[in-house]
Amino acid sequence: MHRYANPTRFLKIARIATPLTLALGLILTIAGLYIGLFASPPDYQQGESVRIMYVHVPAAWLGSGGYLGLAIASATALIWRHPLATIAARAIAPAGAAFSAICLMSGALWGKPTWGTYWVWDARLTSMLVLLFLYLGYLALAAAETERGGERKGAAILALVGAINLPIIKYSVEWWNTLHQGSSISITQGKSAMAPEILTPLLVSVAGFTFLFAAIVLMRMRALLAEQRVEARSRRLAEAVA
Amino acid sequence: MIGRPDLWASYIWPSYILTIGGLIALLVWSWTAMRRAERRADALKRKS
């Protein structure tokens, strides 16, 4: 793992992986959403609103999964002080925040026809909103620390502390009596309560969104590394002139 | 046989427009920021 964590080696891989993940993400997302919109049947309980699940569920998974990545990268940066880990954390945060916001907004649009309201202070919804605030807090703190030229330890610690929210999101539907439905898919047991006609477009959308998320993170990492190179070179040029 | 779904009645189009719009904005922002930063880095490398 450390072999690929070298910034130069990482850039070599990222230059190949970026267009690949982007192309795969676009193809799978378009396919998943097309099947979900036009070729899958309505649900026997939710009716047509089930089609919102094909954007809501992948966004929710990536919002939470992205935060897990942010916490792991922050822990790596704090423990091993690896520069690429800090870059990865800073690249994951805006993508994770955007996916969490999409999850909350699409969930509200699903809630109106299904529950009769856009929002309830339900344990799942509230913990997801807390996740969005954690992302925004991380972004604000990381930007402030970058401006001050600090080590960005505060943002990394916030990311780690905020990881306590992940099991709360996951188990909120079991620990509390919530309006939000329980899990329909169990990854550990490989079971699904969904009909294959609904599960297929959902899994295609999840795969597509995941590749797009990876492409966004790779592009952000490449941008941040290039900015670092510009900063270092400008500093060296200024020192040489002085 | 699947009938033609009523996509406006159940807030489906608004949620798809919001999601696709958000994804496009995120992809365009990431791509342009990456290209701009890499061009600047390459230009500075040639200069020095």
Side-chain angles (χ1 to χ4, degrees):
Chain A
M1 198 64 199
H2 271 278
R3 212 172 93 87
Y4 299 104
N6 172 301
T8 315
R9 211 166 278 143
F10 166 80
L11 275 175
K12 261 186 194 168
I13 299 165
R15 281 191 191 111
I16 302 164
T18 309
L20 276 177
T21 49
L22 190 57
L24 270 171
L26 288 173
I27 292 165
L28 289 169
T29 302
I30 291 167
L33 297 188
Y34 179 82
I35 302 167
L37 271 180
F38 302 111
S40 72
D43 183 64
Y44 78 107
Q45 276 183 324
Q46 297 176 39
E48 300 290 358
S49 304
V50 74
R51 298 179 204 283
I52 297 176
M53 290 298 110
Y54 305 128
V55 294
H56 174 71
V57 174
W61 282 5
L62 287 161
S64 322
Y67 200 90
L68 182 65
L70 174 65
I72 292 169
S74 298
T76 311
L78 278 175
I79 298 164
W80 289 289
R81 292 171 173 262
H82 203 290
L84 208 55
T86 310
I87 296 281
R90 285 183 63 201
I92 290 168
F99 277 86
S100 301
I102 289 171
C103 163
L104 285 167
M105 286 191 272
S106 59
L109 289 166
W110 178 85
K112 185 64 180 166
T114 315
W115 296 337
T117 179
Y118 289 110
W119 183 264
V120 280
W121 291 101
D122 170 272
R124 173 60 69 84
L125 275 71
T126 309
S127 53
M128 204 62 207
L129 183 65
V130 169
L131 183 79
L132 176 63
F133 290 152
L134 283 166
Y135 271 123
L136 297 179
Y138 175 88
L139 285 168
L141 200 53
E145 285 180 337
T146 305
E147 210 169 285
R148 277 190 314 187
E151 275 193 80
R152 300 187 194 101
K153 268 188 183 171
I157 291 167
L158 172 70
L160 273 180
V161 172
I164 193 74
N165 192 40
L166 294 177
I168 296 174
I169 295 172
K170 168 86 176 95
Y171 296 107
S172 56
V173 288
E174 291 170 28
W175 292 343
W176 292 284
N177 189 17
T178 60
L179 197 55
H180 194 284
Q181 69 200 63
S183 304
S184 305
I185 301 171
S186 168
I187 297 169
T188 48
Q189 293 173 353
K191 281 182 187 171
S192 163
M194 287 183 200
E197 296 86 353
I198 289 174
L199 183 64
T200 308
L202 181 66
L203 291 180
V204 176
S205 287
V206 166
F209 274 55
T210 307
F211 278 115
L212 286 183
F213 188 92
I216 291 163
V217 171
L218 284 172
M219 286 191 276
R220 291 296 308 144
M221 285 182 77
R222 283 173 61 177
L224 291 167
L225 282 168
E227 280 167 18
Q228 266 190 358
R229 283 203 308 271
V230 168
E231 211 175 290
R233 216 173 276 271
S234 304
R235 212 180 306 124
R236 275 202 302 272
L237 278 174
E239 279 167 8
V241 169
Chain B
M1 179 68 195
I2 297 161
R4 195 184 172 86
D6 180 7
L7 301 176
W8 279 109
S10 310
Y11 296 83
I12 296 164
W13 276 127
S15 52
Y16 273 67
I17 291 166
L18 183 99
T19 305
I20 295 166
L23 279 177
I24 291 171
L26 200 57
L27 285 167
V28 169
W29 170 66
S30 308
W31 177 264
T32 49
M34 178 191 76
R35 292 297 301 136
R36 201 185 314 122
E38 287 187 338
R39 263 201 302 266
R40 269 191 70 194
D42 290 342
L44 208 62
K45 194 179 174 182
R46 276 195 300 271
K47 205 172 143 187
S48 56

